[in-house]
Amino acid sequence: MIVSPSILSCDFGNLKRDIEMLNSSEAEWIHVDVMDGVFVPNISFGFPILKSVRKHSDKVLDVHLMIQNADLYLEEFQQAGADILTVHYEACTHLHRTLQRIRSLGMRPGVALNPHTPVSVLQHVMADLEVVLIMSVNPGFGGQTFLPESIKKVAEVKRMAQEINPQVIIEVDGGVNQDNGVLLGQAGARALVAGNFVFNAENPVNTIQNLRQIAST
Ligand code: DX5
Ligand code: ZN
């Protein structure tokens, strides 16, 4: 199981310290949430923060765009250090073209689905994806309650992926903790985003290690 701690929940006054904590942990990815205040009712951060994270870490930067008009910024995200670039199905009119461009820029393309969006919309882009991100909360804020319906969606993506693209990584984002992490792992998730669960823990490094181990069983 890959754990992708979300820096949305970190202490931005101590960003370097928190990144160094993640560097010393078993987290393989670092999740970076970019919000534009249009696609979602919140504004997070953009390129300067992403660049700072890149400067201080060699981990895989797992960038989750919750923005409209992602096409305008793909190159800039690549320049800023994104490894995985995930766009929302609901925000991309020409999704296939967007995914091709992400790949041609040398990044790994991902698509995120809001809780109400059926998995079937992925059918014709599944072969082009490296990551499917199942949102287990409505995007926009950290610290929300996990929606259990997401477990079924993970199993559905897994079934679809087995036929078309067995390598695709199914990632889950929102309200993830140790309890739902086990169920998500059993359903087929291979990456778990964790914001508050990691950064509010007394010992984030141990929490990451436990989540990784427990969700892998
Ligand atoms: C929500 C973001 C998540 C968020 C997860 O819109 O996409 O990545 O940081 O935070 P927790 O784990 O606290 O729900
Ligand atoms: Zn996210």
Side-chain angles (χ1 to χ4, degrees):
M1 183 63 73
I2 294 164
V3 176
S4 189
S6 170
I7 59 152
L8 188 64
S9 303
C10 82
D11 173 0
F12 285 98
N14 288 295
L15 180 61
K16 186 171 175 222
R17 181 202 68 191
D18 283 0
I19 298 302
E20 281 168 355
M21 177 280 288
L22 296 179
N23 289 342
S24 74
S25 79
E26 289 185 12
E28 285 179 55
W29 297 358
I30 296 178
H31 190 80
V32 181
D33 284 310
V34 179
M35 304 178 184
D36 66 355
V38 179
F39 178 64
V40 287
N42 195 10
I43 298 175
S44 58
F45 47 74
F47 302 113
I49 294 281
L50 178 58
K51 284 183 189 158
S52 300
V53 179
R54 177 78 296 163
K55 193 167 141 201
H56 297 296
S57 185
D58 294 328
K59 302 261 186 195
V60 172
L61 297 191
D62 167 32
V63 178
H64 175 195
L65 299 186
M66 284 159 275
I67 66 171
Q68 300 283 10
N69 298 318
D71 290 339
L72 299 177
Y73 309 104
L74 300 180
E75 202 166 335
E76 213 165 334
F77 279 108
Q78 184 257 331
Q79 296 287 319
D83 295 302
I84 298 168
L85 197 63
T86 296
V87 293
H88 264 265
Y89 165 81
E90 301 83 2
C92 295
T93 310
H94 301 287
L95 180 62
H96 183 268
R97 179 187 291 151
T98 303
L99 297 172
Q100 299 302 315
R101 265 207 74 219
I102 292 172
R103 196 181 285 282
S104 73
L105 287 165
M107 297 176 287
R108 297 160 67 184
V111 170
L113 299 184
N114 277 341
H116 73 279
T117 304
V119 167
S120 57
V121 300
L122 294 176
Q123 180 85 22
H124 301 289
V125 289
M126 184 57 93
D128 304 295
L129 295 179
E130 295 215 13
V131 174
V132 172
L133 181 60
I134 296 298
M135 290 308 301
S136 42
V137 297
N138 286 293
F141 304 92
Q144 301 183 80
T145 305
F146 179 82
L147 300 169
E149 181 75 11
S150 334
I151 299 168
K152 278 192 234 160
K153 286 180 83 176
V154 169
E156 248 184 86
V157 178
K158 173 89 182 166
R159 274 197 297 278
M160 187 192 283
Q162 255 154 3
E163 284 174 27
I164 309 172
N165 182 359
Q167 308 300 329
V168 80
I169 294 176
I170 305 172
E171 181 179 21
V172 182
D173 184 7
V176 169
N177 58 34
Q178 217 146 293
D179 301 329
N180 54 43
V182 177
L183 302 172
L184 291 166
Q186 286 165 353
R190 275 184 50 213
L192 297 177
V193 177
N196 277 28
F197 185 62
V198 165
F199 285 97
N200 288 351
E202 225 163 88
N203 188 330
V205 170
N206 285 353
T207 303
I208 291 166
Q209 186 183 28
N210 291 342
L211 183 60
R212 186 166 175 253
Q213 282 168 359
I214 283 173
S216 307
T217 52

